[in-house]
Amino acid sequence: ENREKDYNEIYSETFRAEVGIRAIGLIYHDHSDDQNSEENVFRLKDNIEYRLFSASHQYLLLLKELGAAELYLQNIYNKNPHFINPNTFPFGNKYFDKVERELSSIFDSIIFHLSSVFDYLSHAICYMYFNNKENTLYWTKLSKKVRGDLKGKFEFCKVLDEVDRKFVGRLYDYRSRLLHNKRDNHNFSSNMNLDDLSFQLKIAASKEVLKHFKMVEENKSSEKQEITLAYLSSWLIKQSFYEIEIILDAIKIDLENNSKFQQNLMKPK
């Protein structure tokens, strides 16, 4: 309901996530015997941070375009009220279709950036845990590995498995649908304030995307509430922050349980 407030919260959380990822990089540097840790962990951190920022910025663009679309429809209505009447165009309202395509394309971009966040996070995890620092994996392969030959070996394995099953795996499945199957058509609706003839635009998330992210439905206070594309975008980014934090907490435990800190004090890198 308050678009500016919600974006400011996400913007702030982006920097908080960066601090958390940077902290884990420093813990790895202190507790590992990797001689190249300082150089490489910050390179990996920068990649994750950039994708988080990109997803958050796309959300800002979505909100801006939402406001611009409302003004656009108001101008169309002022020119000719019949253009906003659904019955005027029996085969689809071209003005509504234009707005839906523009906003859907930004939402898809948020999906792609968030997927990249977890790919870069996976590369960083592999770098910290594997002896062969060149052998890094994308998220989908790492999630299979923690259910396979890595199962039970580290604290992070169980956590990453749970995060993948409840959230990230669904994110990748939906991205795969967008890339290899078809785009989603989201449901357009708008309300007009008769006092000033301004529009309040709502694009409800498609049934297909809500099937992938059933958790978002659990947060609703009423069954009658619709999940809009803007709300779902916000929820996906915030949920990504939450899942990253859980993973970082588990990594911290592993790094301290397998610490080379005393050796590093005796023989600094």
Side-chain angles (χ1 to χ4, degrees):
E1 294 180 356
N2 189 327
R3 297 173 187 175
E4 183 178 0
K5 178 184 177 184
D6 193 66
Y7 169 71
N8 288 337
E9 288 176 3
I10 284 178
Y11 183 73
S12 175
E13 283 295 301
T14 304
F15 287 96
R16 183 174 182 273
E18 186 277 331
V19 170
I21 297 164
R22 175 154 38 103
I24 290 297
L26 291 170
I27 292 170
Y28 173 76
H29 177 65
D30 285 345
H31 291 270
S32 75
D33 57 7
D34 177 8
Q35 296 299 310
N36 301 312
S37 57
E38 186 172 14
E39 174 187 351
N40 287 321
V41 294
F42 281 102
R43 174 178 57 82
L44 293 164
K45 177 201 75 76
D46 289 344
N47 290 334
I48 303 169
E49 177 194 358
Y50 173 70
R51 289 301 176 185
L52 281 172
F53 170 80
S54 298
S56 300
H57 186 64
Q58 290 298 306
Y59 179 55
L60 175 62
L61 293 180
L62 181 75
L63 296 180
K64 285 184 174 181
E65 286 298 312
L66 196 59
E70 289 168 340
L71 290 176
Y72 168 75
L73 291 177
Q74 184 175 354
N75 289 333
I76 295 295
Y77 180 85
N78 291 339
K79 291 178 181 178
N80 190 333
H82 293 294
F83 287 163
I84 304 301
N85 188 333
N87 298 323
T88 303
F89 303 97
F91 299 106
N93 187 311
K94 63 179 182 179
Y95 302 108
F96 292 174
D97 291 344
K98 174 181 182 294
V99 170
E100 188 274 334
R101 282 197 303 271
E102 290 171 347
L103 293 173
S104 293
S105 69
I106 300 175
F107 174 74
D108 290 353
S109 182
I110 292 173
I111 294 289
F112 298 146
H113 281 300
L114 290 178
S115 300
S116 293
V117 165
F118 289 99
D119 273 335
Y120 279 121
L121 180 60
S122 177
H123 290 313
I125 290 171
C126 292
Y127 179 84
M128 289 187 285
Y129 280 81
F130 295 174
N131 291 327
N132 182 356
K133 302 303 181 184
E134 301 297 323
N135 184 28
T136 63
L137 304 174
Y138 288 96
W139 179 274
T140 50
K141 289 190 175 181
L142 181 60
S143 63
K144 291 178 181 177
K145 196 170 183 65
V146 300
R147 291 191 276 267
D149 58 354
L150 277 184
K151 185 176 181 180
K153 290 187 177 181
F154 300 102
E155 180 74 20
F156 96 96
C157 293
K158 181 181 178 182
V159 172
L160 190 139
D161 181 32
E162 291 175 351
V163 168
D164 180 64
R165 291 181 188 276
K166 74 176 181 179
F167 180 69
V168 183
R170 299 173 185 274
L171 183 68
Y172 274 77
D173 287 345
Y174 186 69
R175 182 189 69 167
S176 179
R177 170 186 165 81
L178 294 177
L179 287 173
H180 306 299
N181 190 343
K182 60 179 291 189
R183 85 167 186 93
D184 267 350
N185 291 95
H186 303 282
N187 305 309
F188 187 101
S189 67
S190 65
N191 298 320
M192 187 174 71
N193 187 332
L194 296 177
D195 293 332
D196 57 5
L197 300 182
S198 63
F199 281 84
Q200 183 182 33
L201 187 59
K202 285 188 176 182
I203 296 185
S206 71
K207 291 182 179 179
E208 187 62 40
V209 71
L210 292 178
K211 281 197 297 186
H212 282 78
F213 303 107
K214 293 181 180 179
M215 279 201 307
V216 71
E217 294 275 11
E218 298 170 3
N219 296 340
K220 293 198 307 184
S221 58
S222 169
E223 291 185 5
K224 294 182 180 180
Q225 285 182 323
E226 278 190 313
I227 302 296
T228 65
L229 212 56
Y231 179 85
L232 181 59
S233 300
S234 172
W235 181 86
L236 286 167
I237 297 171
K238 290 175 181 176
Q239 192 67 28
S240 295
F241 290 138
Y242 176 75
E243 305 298 350
I244 289 169
E245 186 167 337
I246 290 175
I247 294 170
L248 296 183
D249 285 344
I251 293 173
K252 179 178 182 290
I253 293 171
D254 285 335
L255 294 177
E256 292 177 344
N257 285 343
N258 299 277
S259 176
K260 304 294 189 300
F261 186 71
Q262 293 300 323
Q263 294 93 308
N264 290 335
L265 284 179
M266 299 296 294
K267 188 179 179 182
K269 298 181 183 181

